[in-house]
C-alpha cells in the first residue's frame, strides 16, 4: 500500500493555444517529463469527488474560506477494474498552502471501505494515521459520490528542483451521474478544446525563467477549481430550468450567491 503526503503552493493559469505552444518551446531547457509521461505522452486521471447530499463541501470551497477540504477517489485507469489500484485522497488548503494525504488500495477495497469502513491490510504506521484521518472525516461528513471529473495531463519536474512541478490539463470532463470509476470516461468539457489549465506546484517560489516567460506571454494567475467549475455549471443549468435555490446557492442575474446557513 503506497502513501503520499506533501504541502505546497498550487498556482493556476488558463492558457490559450498560442501561450501553451510558446511556453512548451522552452520547457525542455528547464524541466524533465514526469515518469508517467512515457515517451513524452500525456496520461489520464480519473476522479470521483464525494460530498454531502446538499453539496456542503464544494459550496464552502467556493466561498473561499481560509481553510477548506475535500475528498476524492482517483484512478489512472479507465475504466478501472475491481483489482485496479486507486488512491483515496484528502486534500486541504490552509491559507494558500495545499496539503494532500492519500492511501492506495484496489477499487474493490475502496468500495468495501466506503460501505463498511473495513480497511485493507495496513503495513505502515503512516498509512494507519491517514486512515484514522479518513475515518474521522467520514464520521463528520455523511458523504456520497457526487461528481466525476477526468482529464488528460502532461506533467514536468524541475531539473534543478524536484519539488517544482508543472502540469498541463486538457479535455477536463465532468458529469454528475454514473459515479463510479468502473464506468468509461465521458461527459461535458469544462474548458475549451483550445485551452490548457496549467498548474504551478512549488514548495517555495517560482523560478525566474518561468516568471519572465509568463510575463512575456501575458499569462496571468487565475482562480480555477475543476470541481468548483463543474458544480457552478451544474447550478447554472438547473437555474435555467427552474429559478429556485439549489443546495444553498441562489442565482441572481447569472451570479452565484452562497447561502452558508444551510
Amino acid at each position: 500500500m503506497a502513501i503520499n503526503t506533501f504541502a505546497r503552493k498550487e498556482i493556476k493559469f488558463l492558457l490559450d493555444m498560442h501561450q501553451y505552444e510558446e511556453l512548451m518551446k522552452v520547457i525542455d531547457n528547464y524541466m524533465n517529463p514526469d515518469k508517467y509521461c512515457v515517451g513524452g505522452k500525456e496520461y489520464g486521471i480519473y476522479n470521483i469527488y464525494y460530498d454531502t447530499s446538499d453539496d456542503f463541501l464544494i459550496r464552502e470551497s467556493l466561498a473561499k474560506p481560509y481553510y477548506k477540504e475535500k475528498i476524492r477517489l482517483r484512478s489512472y485507469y479507465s475504466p478501472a477494474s475491481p483489482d485496479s489500484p486507486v488512491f483515496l485522497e484528502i486534500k486541504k488548503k490552509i491559507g494558500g498552502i495545499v496539503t494532500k494525504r492519500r492511501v492506495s488500495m484496489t477499487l474493490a477495497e475502496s468500495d468495501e471501505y466506503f460501505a463498511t469502513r473495513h480497511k485493507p491490510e495496513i503495513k505502515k504506521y503512516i498509512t494507519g494515521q491517514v486512515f484514522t484521518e479518513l475515518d474521522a472525516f467520514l464520521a463528520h461528513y455523511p458523504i456520497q459520490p457526487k461528481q466525476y471529473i477526468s482529464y488528460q495531463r502532461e506533467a514536468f519536474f524541475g531539473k534543478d528542483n524536484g519539488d517544482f512541478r508543472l502540469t498541463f490539463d486538457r479535455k477536463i470532463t465532468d458529469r454528475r451521474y454514473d459515479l463510479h470509476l468502473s464506468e468509461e470516461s465521458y461527459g461535458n468539457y469544462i474548458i475549451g478544446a483550445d485551452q490548457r489549465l496549467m498548474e504551478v506546484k512549488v514548495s517555495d517560489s517560482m523560478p525566474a525563467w518561468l516568471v519572465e516567460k509568463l510575463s512575456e506571454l501575458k499569462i496571468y494567475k487565475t482562480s480555477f477549481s475543476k470541481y468548483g467549475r463543474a458544480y457552478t455549471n451544474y447550478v447554472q443549468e438547473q437555474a435555467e430550468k427552474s429559478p429556485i435555490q439549489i443546495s444553498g446557492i441562489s442565482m441572481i442575474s447569472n451570479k452565484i450567491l452562497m447561502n452558508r446557513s444551510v
Side-chain angles (χ1 to χ4, degrees):
M1 182 179 300
I3 174 69
N4 290 307
T5 66
F6 59 77
R8 66 191 181 194
K9 300 175 186 176
E10 293 186 351
I11 309 167
K12 300 179 182 181
F13 306 82
L14 196 59
L15 281 57
D16 61 32
M17 283 305 295
H18 170 74
Q19 292 168 326
Y20 165 74
E21 290 169 352
E22 289 300 307
L23 187 55
M24 291 300 291
K25 290 178 180 179
V26 302
I27 288 292
D28 290 343
N29 296 334
Y30 305 98
M31 310 194 77
N32 291 320
D34 184 291
K35 64 180 179 180
Y36 297 107
C37 293
V38 180
K41 296 181 180 179
E42 60 190 10
Y43 58 94
I45 299 178
Y46 312 93
N47 306 280
I48 300 292
Y49 286 82
Y50 293 78
D51 212 325
T52 62
S53 59
D54 65 351
D55 303 303
F56 174 79
L57 294 173
I58 188 57
R59 290 191 290 107
E60 282 292 288
S61 178
L62 288 170
K64 300 187 183 300
Y66 181 79
Y67 170 84
K68 58 184 179 181
E69 58 188 344
K70 59 187 173 184
I71 186 169
R72 68 189 177 200
L73 189 66
R74 170 170 289 186
S75 174
Y76 296 95
Y77 301 91
S78 181
S81 62
D83 60 351
S84 294
V86 296
F87 300 88
L88 183 57
E89 305 177 342
I90 289 183
K91 191 172 183 180
K92 303 179 180 182
K93 189 173 185 179
I94 307 171
I97 302 299
V98 176
T99 66
K100 184 170 76 174
R101 291 158 66 81
R102 73 181 188 175
V103 292
S104 70
M105 60 191 88
T106 67
L107 181 59
E109 288 170 337
S110 74
D111 288 339
E112 177 69 14
Y113 175 66
F114 276 115
T116 69
R117 301 297 183 266
H118 175 75
K119 302 172 182 64
E121 181 182 2
I122 297 174
K123 297 181 179 179
K124 295 182 179 180
Y125 175 74
I126 185 65
T127 302
Q129 283 190 310
V130 178
F131 267 117
T132 298
E133 188 175 347
L134 286 164
D135 286 344
F137 186 101
L138 297 178
H140 185 67
Y141 296 110
I143 62 169
Q144 61 194 61
K146 294 302 292 283
Q147 183 74 57
Y148 174 91
I149 294 180
S150 68
Y151 41 94
Q152 296 296 305
R153 167 166 288 181
E154 293 176 279
F156 302 86
F157 285 91
K159 290 182 178 180
D160 300 324
N161 180 3
D163 290 333
F164 169 48
R165 192 172 186 226
L166 198 59
T167 63
F168 298 90
D169 297 337
R170 71 178 186 93
K171 295 180 69 175
I172 305 175
T173 304
D174 88 286
R175 64 174 187 258
R176 290 180 67 86
Y177 48 87
D178 289 343
L179 298 175
H180 197 271
L181 292 175
S182 61
E183 299 286 347
E184 295 277 357
S185 176
Y186 64 91
N188 300 313
Y189 290 162
I190 61 176
I191 63 171
D194 60 344
Q195 292 180 307
R196 298 291 185 273
L197 178 64
M198 182 178 77
E199 294 188 41
V200 176
K201 308 180 184 196
V202 65
S203 57
D204 42 43
S205 58
M206 287 192 290
W209 70 265
L210 181 58
V211 174
E212 293 172 1
K213 200 66 181 177
L214 295 180
S215 176
E216 174 190 330
L217 295 173
K218 295 181 172 56
I219 299 172
Y220 304 112
K221 181 174 67 172
T222 188
S223 175
F224 191 103
S225 161
K226 298 182 182 75
Y227 183 15
R229 175 66 66 88
Y231 181 66
T232 299
N233 289 347
Y234 163 73
V235 170
Q236 291 174 336
E237 290 169 2
Q238 296 304 307
E240 290 171 1
K241 296 177 182 177
S242 177
I244 60 174
Q245 184 169 305
I246 302 168
S247 296
I249 289 185
S250 300
M251 296 292 296
I252 298 178
S253 299
N254 293 322
K255 293 183 179 180
I256 294 181
L257 301 181
M258 310 304 300
N259 181 349
R260 299 180 65 173
S261 64
V262 298

